[in-house]
Amino acid sequence: MKRCSLIPIALLLGACQTPEPKPSEQFPVMDWRHEDGRDYAYLLAPGDTLQVVFHTAPELNRDLVVAPDGSVTLPYIGPVQASARTSAEIRASLMQAYASELKDPDIDVIPTGFASQRIFVGGEVNSPGMMELPGQIDPLQAIIMAGGMNDRAKPSNVALMRRMPGGQVMTAVIDLNKGLSDPALADWTPLRRFDVVYVPRSKIAAENLFVQQWIRAALPLDFSFYYDVAGAFRD
């Protein structure tokens, strides 16, 4: 009776294997890892700090922190949107806003702190979560900073997700095994702020979890036996 019970379980496990991810309009997978080699202008984000210098009215000088809603507030003109803008764009807005308040609005906007330099590492790592981006690190270094991969990880299928300057989210699938076996194949792009590195679970680990959560806990089977070569069950 026990032997017969294993047949539908095996068929169920085969049907429940997670398929490989496929590109779609909502979740494109493209080879953008090298991009075009350009460094885009830095866009400010909540938590960043900047200094606003009024050369003709130094009493208005301010050190500001970009608020959670993306704004900064200055005298006479109130809140100004700073998030997702360059310092040059903010300067242009301030010059225009203060044109009616100052005779000669000579203003500089200088970024001074970059608290938004963070990345996210998740999936099958030992310490998932948000972490500071210390500089030009690659996905493998980020995973090491997150405590390394656990024994359920699938390093050949690591996902790197990035929001591009135009707003679209792009995804690259990275095979860390190739880079570890041959450094010439480790063509991983340096990470940028808000990048997401996700280490998926291997199929074997997913099946083991499925057995643990849904089969062993739900079916009245005794899993303390094993099946020998002769075809007989033993306790």
Side-chain angles (χ1 to χ4, degrees), residues 76-173:
Y76 306 125
I77 63 171
V80 175
Q81 185 64 26
S83 182
R85 303 180 74 188
T86 66
S87 57
E89 291 171 336
I90 299 171
R91 178 180 182 272
S93 294
L94 295 181
M95 294 279 285
Q96 182 178 3
Y98 276 100
S100 59
E101 302 292 339
L102 300 176
K103 183 177 180 180
D104 182 17
D106 185 8
I107 304 171
D108 277 332
V109 176
I110 306 168
T112 55
F114 307 97
S116 62
Q117 292 294 96
R118 295 186 175 97
I119 56 174
F120 305 86
V121 183
E124 299 303 323
V125 294
N126 291 308
S127 299
M130 182 174 64
M131 60 187 64
E132 299 291 333
L133 182 62
Q136 286 199 343
I137 64 171
D138 59 41
L140 177 59
Q141 291 170 313
I143 291 171
I144 294 173
M145 289 173 58
M149 292 176 283
N150 59 39
D151 55 5
R152 300 182 299 274
K154 186 178 182 181
S156 62
N157 208 32
V158 174
L160 169 60
M161 289 167 276
R162 174 176 298 171
R163 187 174 295 277
M164 306 302 283
Q168 64 182 140
V169 177
M170 305 299 290
T171 303
V173 178

Side-chain angles (χ1 to χ4, degrees), residues 9-10 16 20 57 60 69 76 122 128-129 148 178 188-189 211 223 234:
I9 295 173
C16 291
E20 294 295 323
L60 298 178
D69 65 355
Y76 306 125
K178 288 183 178 180
W188 312 315
T189 184
V211 170
F223 281 84
R234 297 182 181 179

